[in-house]
Amino acid sequence: MIRRLRLALAAGIIAMGVAACGPTGERPQVRLYTEDYSVAISFDPTPPCALEQVQFTIVVRDAKTGEPIEGGEGRIFATNEDRKSTDNGLTPGKELGTYYSSLMFVNAGTWAIGFQFRRDSTQRLQRANDWMQQVLAEAPPGQECNK
């Protein structure tokens, strides 16, 4: 119980730091943990903008050994205060333990983003703690949101 509270607190602090980051050329990472997995999630653009595809890079490792997890299954999903939702599955990447996904946020504001993963279809999905992410308003036509 205390371990989960500490993990939730750590995830919240990390998420606040990520939400405050602007475009710096370096992609911030959100670090999440489940019983069996250590997860690092980065995304582009940073911060994300409404009505743009946000590309997520997710690296999953075994929490005990640090070994990358190949052949896993999972999803990333998000819901905002207005109960709008978006979700997508993971696509394995060429790099060991790396998966890709994308989401499009339909409006600006605060979104709760969640992540679930399992090593294979014989295992149960494990959910990491959600993080809160600020999504910027969409850019005017012909302009990029973060530029």
Side-chain angles (χ1 to χ4, degrees):
M1 176 71 169
I2 292 179
R3 181 173 185 255
R4 282 214 172 256
L5 285 172
R6 285 182 184 159
L7 290 174
L9 179 60
I13 291 169
I14 290 168
M16 287 187 297
V18 169
C21 291
T24 62
E26 182 179 310
R27 280 209 236 165
Q29 283 189 346
V30 176
R31 296 250 180 212
L32 304 173
Y33 301 91
T34 70
E35 285 179 39
D36 298 323
Y37 309 114
S38 168
V39 183
I41 301 175
S42 58
F43 46 94
D44 186 42
T46 304
C49 299
L51 301 179
E52 286 188 20
Q53 284 290 335
V54 179
Q55 302 299 321
F56 289 86
T57 302
I58 301 132
V59 178
V60 183
R61 296 185 173 279
D62 184 281
K64 293 178 183 84
T65 66
E67 293 295 316
I69 305 294
E70 286 294 302
E73 303 173 346
R75 71 183 189 120
I76 191 163
F77 52 96
T79 302
N80 72 359
E81 296 164 329
D82 297 330
R83 308 304 292 163
K84 304 287 186 217
S85 295
T86 183
D87 66 284
N88 200 5
L90 305 181
T91 301
K94 293 179 183 175
E95 306 89 347
L96 291 176
T98 301
Y99 301 84
Y100 295 94
S101 191
S102 64
L103 295 177
M104 182 181 289
F105 301 98
V106 295
N107 58 0
T110 304
W111 287 74
I113 303 177
F115 179 77
Q116 290 178 310
F117 188 83
R118 63 184 173 192
R119 189 177 299 270
D120 58 48
S121 62
T122 66
Q123 305 292 311
R124 68 177 175 82
L125 281 168
Q126 293 185 28
R127 183 171 179 174
N129 289 322
D130 295 356
W131 82 90
M132 303 303 286
Q133 179 63 53
Q134 190 65 32
V135 175
L136 301 178
E138 65 272 12
Q143 294 182 14
E144 292 185 42
C145 180
N146 289 329
K147 305 297 181 219

